[in-house]
Amino acid sequence: MKKRGLLLLLVPLALVSCGDKGVSFNVLYDHILNISKSSSSPYYRVVGSLDFNNEYITVDATFDKQPKGETFVPYSRYYPGFYVESIEDLDEEDTIIYQMASRSYWLRAPLKIDNTNFYALLDNGTVNSSCAFYNLTHIITSWMDDGIPNNPSSSFSYYKVLDNGGFAIGGNKVHSKIRFDNYPAYPDPVAHPEMFGPDVWDFDYAPLPCYQNFVDGKFNIEFVYDKDGWLISESLETIDYDFDASIATQVAMKANYFYKFS
């Protein structure tokens, strides 16, 4: 029996309408070339649920705090510094601070994709590990961990250009090692002071995710972005997922994102 079961699912699975067709990587790339970089730093709200490790939890959190440069700020609003020319340009601590406020709540997918951060190559011809394509592909199949050539291929994922101008990237029955951050709780010093301290989370020095949990399995997974490149939903389920079954190895995650620009 799940520790915290809720029959009312707060967020529907991210579904693509019947008119939306799968496209090649090149078609998706050309589509994203028309999405410009934004200098906006919107507040955003994430509403979702996670069935993991035989426990069902929900999140409804608003990220509206102001980022403070190289200091991690809980519930910080979107930080427009997702893309850098090379991940090696930043040390580990700065990279984590730089990216945490621009990633999704559990899977750390980029919140904003545009023509400057979607796909980039380094001088040696390999895919830049800081670009959105690299990060999403890693989540979907973890292919770069298995020595598979890192060229775009429809064999591990699918791409869709949506009728509303948005796009989707996902995979059906893909094998991946998924990492969940912020499980079972988000690192909030007010709500969860036990998560902070020299042996857990050094708040001023090392803003590393306090909890990281991995699951290795086969999934259906999808990330949906709107016409301006903002993530609006992400969903993941193990094959043959059954909400009513108490199976520790099955997983289901879904989340929707809402933005306020000011």
Side-chain angles (χ1 to χ4, degrees):
M1 187 178 199
K2 294 185 176 71
K3 295 180 181 178
R4 282 182 277 176
L6 293 177
L7 294 180
L8 175 62
L9 301 184
L10 296 180
V11 184
L13 278 174
L15 298 179
V16 177
S17 69
C18 296
D20 302 316
K21 305 296 183 181
V23 299
S24 68
F25 173 83
N26 289 335
V27 170
L28 177 69
Y29 179 78
D30 290 341
H31 179 77
I32 295 177
L33 284 180
N34 295 315
I35 300 177
S36 300
K37 181 179 180 179
S38 172
S39 59
S40 299
S41 299
Y43 305 139
Y44 67 94
R45 178 187 177 193
V46 54
V47 182
S49 60
L50 173 65
D51 186 348
F52 176 56
N53 198 27
N54 213 13
E55 179 180 25
Y56 187 84
I57 64 175
T58 61
V59 59
D60 186 345
T62 299
F63 287 72
D64 57 1
K65 303 300 185 292
Q66 179 66 34
K68 295 181 180 179
E70 297 183 355
T71 300
F72 171 67
V73 178
Y75 298 107
S76 178
R77 65 183 185 175
Y78 171 79
Y79 189 79
F82 169 65
Y83 176 75
V84 291
E85 285 299 322
S86 172
I87 205 72
E88 288 78 18
D89 291 342
L90 300 175
D91 61 30
E92 181 182 10
E93 182 179 343
D94 288 340
T95 299
I96 294 166
I97 297 170
Y98 196 59
Q99 294 179 343
M100 283 188 71
S102 56
R103 301 293 188 95
S104 65
Y105 187 83
W106 276 308
L107 295 184
R108 293 297 174 211
L111 287 182
K112 178 69 165 71
I113 291 179
D114 54 54
N115 54 19
T116 68
N117 71 359
F118 175 59
Y119 188 75
L121 297 176
L122 299 176
D123 292 340
N124 62 8
T126 60
V127 177
N128 190 325
S129 61
S130 69
C131 74
F133 172 79
Y134 183 101
N135 281 268
L136 287 176
T137 306
H138 190 190
I139 296 171
I140 294 170
T141 63
S142 298
W143 49 263
M144 66 279 294
D145 294 334
D146 298 326
I148 300 174
N150 53 6
N151 294 318
S153 170
S154 60
S155 63
F156 57 73
S157 59
Y158 62 79
Y159 316 108
K160 293 184 178 181
V161 173
L162 310 182
D163 290 343
N164 61 10
F167 60 94
I169 300 175
N172 289 321
K173 299 182 179 179
V174 293
H175 182 201
S176 185
K177 186 177 183 181
I178 299 295
R179 183 187 76 178
F180 291 111
D181 281 345
N182 301 325
Y183 170 85
Y186 180 84
D188 177 3
V190 175
H192 302 286
E194 73 280 2
M195 296 171 65
F196 295 83
D199 297 326
V200 185
W201 183 312
D202 189 334
F203 187 75
D204 293 324
Y205 175 69
L208 299 170
C210 187
Y211 295 116
Q212 295 187 34
N213 293 266
F214 291 87
V215 56
D216 192 329
K218 290 187 176 181
F219 309 93
N220 293 324
I221 182 170
E222 185 172 70
F223 301 94
V224 180
Y225 291 80
D226 69 13
K227 63 181 180 60
D228 298 313
W230 293 98
L231 179 69
I232 57 175
S233 67
E234 58 179 345
S235 60
L236 173 149
E237 284 188 356
T238 47
I239 308 304
D240 299 325
Y241 169 77
D242 181 359
F243 175 78
D244 294 320
S246 296
I247 304 174
T249 56
Q250 72 172 7
V251 180
M253 182 281 304
K254 55 194 71 175
N256 279 2
Y257 294 83
F258 307 90
Y259 302 90
K260 181 178 180 180
F261 297 87
S262 60

